[in-house]
Amino acid sequence: MDDHLTILQNHFLFRGAEELLPEALALPAKSFQRGETICDPDTAQQALGIVLQGRAEAVAAAREQTVLAAFGTGDTFGAAALFGGAGYVSRIRAVTGSEVLFLPETLLRQWLERCPQMAVNYIAFLSGRVRFLNGKIAILTQDSAQNRLYRWLLANCDGEGRLPEKLSMTKLAATLSVGRTSLYRALEELETAGWIVRKGKRIEVLL
C-alpha cells in the first residue's frame, strides 16, 4: 500500500489534488499474469488505467505484432475511451506480472468537478497525448525508412539518448511499417551518418 501511495503521489493526476488520494487508494487494484489481457475493445470498461506494478503494452487489435505504446509503473492508459470516446481500439496486455488501478469515468467526473487542479492536470495530459500523436503521424509520413526510424528513436529515447536494451527489431519494424531488412539498413545508415551509436543490441541516439 505504501508503494501504491508513492506512485499515486507522483502521478500527474494527483499533483495538487492530494486530498483525493485516500479515495483512490481505497479502490481495489487488479492483478494480471504475464501475457494476460488487461482490457480490449470487447471487454474494456470506461476507465482510466494506472499501472501500479509491472509492465504492459498496447497492441493493434488486428495486428498484435504492432506495439502501439508501452506502459511501465506509474504510466496511464485508456484516456481515449473516456468522455464520449468510442472505447478501446487496441488490446492492453501484461508484459510481466502486473497490477493496475482502474479509475471509472463516473468517479473521474466527480473528482474533476470537486478539484479544479485535477481538471487542469488532466487537460495538460491530454494535450501532451495530442502532441505525441502528431509526432507519430509525422514519423509515418516521412519519405524514407531512415527518417522515420530516426524520428522514432529520438521520440522514444531518454534524456541521455538511451533506448531500452530489449528493443525488439521485429516489433519496431512492424511499428514503422517497414521490413526487417530495410530497418537494419536504415540503422546502418544512421550509424554511418553519426546520428546513433550501436553497442551490441543497445542503441543510443547522439543528441
Side-chain angles (χ1 to χ4, degrees):
M1 185 64 71
D2 289 340
D3 291 340
H4 293 178
L5 174 60
T6 300
I7 291 168
L8 293 182
Q9 284 175 330
N10 293 320
H11 191 271
F12 74 86
L13 202 59
F14 295 95
R15 292 171 189 161
E18 291 81 3
E19 67 271 21
L20 298 174
L21 283 171
E23 295 181 43
L25 289 169
L27 297 171
K30 294 186 178 181
S31 298
F32 300 89
Q33 300 297 318
R34 177 182 178 182
E36 188 176 356
T37 296
I38 295 175
C39 54
D40 62 25
D42 296 325
T43 64
Q45 299 179 351
Q46 290 181 302
L48 198 68
I50 300 176
V51 180
L52 298 178
Q53 182 180 336
R55 292 185 294 116
E57 61 186 10
V59 296
R63 295 181 60 192
E64 294 204 358
Q65 74 272 26
T66 302
V67 177
L68 304 175
F71 310 101
T73 300
D75 287 339
T76 304
F77 61 84
L82 303 181
F83 304 108
Y88 282 73
V89 296
S90 59
R91 181 167 84 93
I92 310 296
R93 66 187 178 197
V95 178
T96 65
S98 303
E99 198 167 1
V100 178
L101 179 67
F102 289 99
L103 305 179
E105 180 181 323
T106 52
L107 179 60
L108 277 174
R109 285 181 179 273
Q110 296 173 18
W111 284 355
L112 296 178
E113 290 176 1
R114 289 164 51 191
C115 183
Q117 183 58 51
M118 179 174 278
V120 171
N121 295 344
Y122 191 65
I123 292 170
F125 168 73
L126 293 179
S127 296
R129 297 305 298 167
V130 170
R131 290 190 293 272
F132 172 77
L133 291 173
N134 284 341
K136 294 278 282 188
I137 292 171
I139 291 171
L140 294 175
T141 55
Q142 290 291 323
D143 59 1
S144 73
Q146 182 188 34
N147 287 337
R148 269 188 282 169
L149 173 60
Y150 182 70
R151 290 288 300 276
W152 188 94
L153 295 174
L154 195 62
N156 288 275
C157 67
D158 63 19
E160 297 180 0
R162 296 173 300 194
L163 287 139
E165 291 187 24
K166 296 182 179 180
L167 182 63
S168 168
M169 293 296 104
T170 299
K171 291 182 179 180
L172 180 54
T175 298
L176 297 176
S177 299
V178 300
R180 284 172 60 90
T181 300
S182 296
L183 175 61
Y184 284 113
R185 185 184 304 115
L187 284 169
E188 291 175 0
E189 291 172 351
L190 291 178
E191 188 171 29
T192 300
W195 292 2
I196 66 171
V197 173
R198 289 190 291 175
K199 301 175 181 178
K201 293 185 178 181
R202 188 171 185 83
I203 301 174
E204 293 184 14
V205 181
L206 299 179
L207 301 175

